[in-house]
Amino acid sequence: DAGVIQSPRHEVTEMGQEVTLRCKPISGHNSLFWYRQTMMRGLELLIYFNNNVPIDDSGMPEDRFSAKMPNASFSTLKIQPSEPRDSAVYFCASAPLQAAGFGYTFGSGTRLTVV
Amino acid sequence: SQQGEEDPQALSIQEGENATMNCSYKTSINNLQWYRQNSGRGLVHLILIRSNEREKHSGRLRVTLDTSKKSSSLLITASRAADTASYFCAPDSGGGADGLTFGKGTHLIIQP
């Protein structure tokens, strides 16, 4: 298995532009998680899905952030409009739904820079 | 899920020495997981210990869990330069599908 695949690896955009981050979870994993990591705030859980359904989005910082999972093999995290303080590394992770006994598999992340 | 607190925040040792880092949490758990993050990379799952287990081994890793003290420790024996990374614990109260949360981690540096 190729693991969790995120794209792009790096994104540089101007303030006010729309940014879309993509994630392909491991086949057969029913849970998908989006995290954001910065030096100041560490790793923050933004939102997670079980069986493509958003379960908890309380970590989404503002209405500018939205996430979708249209099918079991694809998820997006969108920021519109983007701001410099959104600069961070965004990670996607997946896990089996009944995850007791299994850890999460993380992607390599998308490093977002908003200028 | 609740967030664990790792201690120390930073640890520097010589190659070949053992490294021990600790994790404390606040409420009862189903299991506790340890992850490693190398610079610029995603987290990698190292080991999971269930609440009814006291000790678990995986290669050079040894994890202990004391539910009465709500604490866990991760021991890396015979450290190598490649072990340089940040290590995070994740106490899991909700069966694993409720979203793990992570603290600031222990940054381990192995000096050659």
Side-chain angles (χ1 to χ4, degrees), chain A residues 17-97:
Chain A
Q17 295 297 306
E18 175 182 302
V19 176
T20 299
L21 312 181
R22 297 172 176 80
C23 176
K24 177 179 168 53
I26 288 176
S27 177
H29 282 191
N30 300 97
S31 296
L32 183 139
F33 310 85
W34 282 100
Y35 288 86
R36 175 173 74 174
Q37 187 176 36
T38 61
M39 288 292 291
M40 289 294 292
R41 302 173 71 92
L43 263 167
E44 301 172 276
L45 175 62
L46 301 178
I47 185 172
Y48 68 92
F49 298 81
N50 284 345
N51 291 322
N52 313 337
V53 176
I55 302 301
D56 185 353
D57 65 354
S58 60
M60 298 285 259
E62 299 173 35
D63 290 344
R64 298 183 296 105
F65 287 69
S66 63
K68 293 182 180 179
M69 192 164 187
N71 57 62
S73 59
F74 184 65
S75 177
T76 60
L77 178 68
K78 184 180 292 187
I79 309 172
Q80 180 185 22
S82 58
E83 297 183 4
R85 59 194 164 121
D86 301 332
S87 296
V89 182
Y90 290 80
F91 290 103
C92 174
S94 71
L97 179 59

Side-chain angles (χ1 to χ4, degrees), chain B residues 2 9 14 17 23 33 36 39 53 55 70 80 99 102 105-107 111:
Chain B
Q2 61 183 300
Q9 290 189 8
Q14 294 294 125
E17 295 180 339
C23 170
Q33 303 178 32
R36 181 188 74 232
S39 179
E53 298 175 309
E55 188 170 311
K70 294 185 173 56
R80 305 168 180 168
F102 297 88
T106 291
H107 185 50
Q111 307 277 8

Side-chain angles (χ1 to χ4, degrees), chain A residues 35 37 48 97 100-101 104 106, chain B residues 35 37 43 50 95-98 100:
Chain A
Y35 288 86
Q37 187 176 36
Y48 68 92
L97 179 59
Y104 291 8
F106 281 75
Chain B
Y35 289 78
Q37 183 179 32
L43 276 69
R50 293 188 172 81
D98 294 337
L100 295 177

Side-chain angles (χ1 to χ4, degrees), chain A residues 98-113:
Chain A
Q98 299 303 324
F102 297 93
Y104 291 8
T105 302
F106 281 75
S108 298
T110 294
R111 182 174 296 276
L112 173 65
T113 304

